Amino acid sequence: MNPLVSIQRGKSSKPPRVLCYGVEGIGKSTFGSQAPQAIFVPIEDGLGEISSDKFPLASTYDEVTAALASLRQEQHDYETVVIDSLDWLERLIWDKLCEQHGVYSIEKVDGGYSRGYTHALIYWREILHHLDSLRNQRGMVVVLIAHSKIESFKDPESSAYDRYSPRLHKHAAALLTEWCDVVGFATRRLRTQSEDAGFNRKRTIAHGLGAGGGERILRCVGSPACIAKNRYGINEELPLSWAAFVEALSRNPE
């Protein structure tokens, strides 16, 4: 068969794959629950105050994949699948690897030398295969929730600096951030102010803008402060809500 015959042209509109990460209590799970007809695959026990449908709390990797498989195989009306959270899922993946290799630590898998983290990518790709099937075959939006960490980044064009990133091993983080259409950092909008601390010293104080210690926002463009990206041309900071995200998508069609 001539491969030229199968060439396609134009845009292919599919539901977005969104990774939302940030500090504890910022509203990441609430953001996921606002997506249309959301169903959670909970791996950490933090949805008690959120009104949304959810599977039983998963305590093994196989329970997570079973939940995703059921969404693909069974009839339902759900339009969004939310995994909450990726960093807890990573622990289940490591547990499965340790059991498989008969060791007590991911550092000991396959003789050590960090090989365990590379082997873990096999299970991460299996998760992404399930999610791709839900997106492509069932038309479901994918929302992935993760906590944040502060890491040191060695920039080859400047001095090293600290930035926020998803709380995952670097191999898993690279795979997931590349796969997602949107990687959003959930944080608060703050302003800083220097004031006299006495004895010819200055101190910097951060003030929240708005009620509740600062407006909750979603950064969808990367900067030295955080890992973020999007494939929809969103250039501005958004309020941390699904409605604001959808509005930005309509202003910036793929």
Side-chain angles (χ1 to χ4, degrees), residues 204-243:
T204 301
I205 299 178
H207 299 275
L209 299 179
E215 179 189 0
R216 301 180 186 197
I217 59 173
L218 187 69
R219 294 180 179 170
C220 299
V221 178
S223 72
C226 66
I227 290 177
K229 74 163 198 181
N230 74 90
R231 295 178 176 138
Y232 301 103
I234 301 172
N235 295 318
E236 69 272 31
E237 294 178 347
L238 307 176
L240 184 56
S241 75
W242 189 261

Side-chain angles (χ1 to χ4, degrees), residues 14-19 131-132 135-136 140-144 178-183 231-232:
K14 292 183 179 180
R17 301 168 293 188
V18 182
L19 167 55
L131 295 175
D132 273 331
R135 178 178 183 245
N136 297 330
M140 296 185 73
V141 176
V142 176
V143 178
L144 308 177
E178 179 183 1
W179 180 81
C180 287
D181 302 309
V182 178
V183 177
R231 295 178 176 138
Y232 301 103

Side-chain angles (χ1 to χ4, degrees), residues 62-78:
D62 291 339
E63 290 176 356
V64 175
T65 56
L68 296 177
S70 69
L71 286 174
R72 187 181 74 252
Q73 297 165 358
E74 306 297 333
Q75 293 298 317
H76 59 78
D77 295 324
Y78 297 112

Side-chain angles (χ1 to χ4, degrees), residues 8-248:
Q8 299 177 352
R9 183 178 182 180
K11 297 180 179 180
S12 178
S13 180
K14 292 183 179 180
R17 301 168 293 188
V18 182
L19 167 55
C20 177
Y21 77 98
V23 298
E24 291 82 354
I26 193 68
K28 305 179 296 296
S29 299
T30 300
F31 173 79
S33 71
Q34 295 169 349
Q37 294 291 101
I39 175 73
F40 276 75
V41 180
I43 305 163
E44 61 171 296
D45 191 7
L47 297 175
E49 301 302 316
I50 294 178
S51 178
S52 184
D53 290 355
K54 53 185 174 290
F55 285 96
L57 187 67
S59 58
T60 68
Y61 173 82
D62 291 339
E63 290 176 356
V64 175
T65 56
L68 296 177
S70 69
L71 286 174
R72 187 181 74 252
Q73 297 165 358
E74 306 297 333
Q75 293 298 317
H76 59 78
D77 295 324
Y78 297 112
E79 299 176 21
T80 304
V81 57
V82 185
I83 293 184
D84 193 359
S85 64
L86 292 180
D87 31 314
W88 284 62
L89 174 56
E90 185 168 59
R91 300 178 191 182
L92 300 187
I93 289 175
W94 291 354
D95 288 345
K96 186 172 181 66
L97 270 173
C98 289
E99 180 182 2
Q100 186 180 52
H101 289 263
V103 296
Y104 62 88
S105 168
I106 185 70
E107 297 281 354
K108 302 296 183 181
V109 169
D110 197 14
Y113 300 101
S114 297
R115 292 192 184 98
Y117 302 111
T118 302
H119 286 305
L121 296 179
I122 297 173
Y123 293 104
W124 279 117
R125 291 189 180 101
E126 183 178 16
I127 293 291
L128 297 186
H129 174 73
H130 280 289
L131 295 175
D132 273 331
S133 296
L134 292 176
R135 178 178 183 245
N136 297 330
Q137 299 173 16
R138 304 300 296 263
M140 296 185 73
V141 176
V142 176
V143 178
L144 308 177
I145 304 297
H147 297 92
S148 62
K149 66 179 180 181
I150 298 175
E151 65 177 9
S152 179
F153 178 67
K154 295 182 179 180
D155 191 333
E157 296 185 344
S158 66
S159 302
Y161 53 84
D162 291 341
R163 67 178 181 181
Y164 286 100
S165 66
R167 192 187 297 170
L168 298 166
H169 186 270
K170 61 181 180 180
H171 294 340
L175 175 66
L176 290 159
T177 55
E178 179 183 1
W179 180 81
C180 287
D181 302 309
V182 178
V183 177
F185 174 55
T187 186
R188 296 179 186 272
R189 181 176 286 122
L190 303 173
R191 66 177 176 86
T192 58
Q193 176 181 338
S194 296
E195 64 177 34
D196 186 5
F199 303 101
N200 295 319
R201 294 181 301 172
K202 295 285 186 179
R203 63 180 178 182
T204 301
I205 299 178
H207 299 275
L209 299 179
E215 179 189 0
R216 301 180 186 197
I217 59 173
L218 187 69
R219 294 180 179 170
C220 299
V221 178
S223 72
C226 66
I227 290 177
K229 74 163 198 181
N230 74 90
R231 295 178 176 138
Y232 301 103
I234 301 172
N235 295 318
E236 69 272 31
E237 294 178 347
L238 307 176
L240 184 56
S241 75
W242 189 261
F245 174 66
V246 171
E247 182 181 352

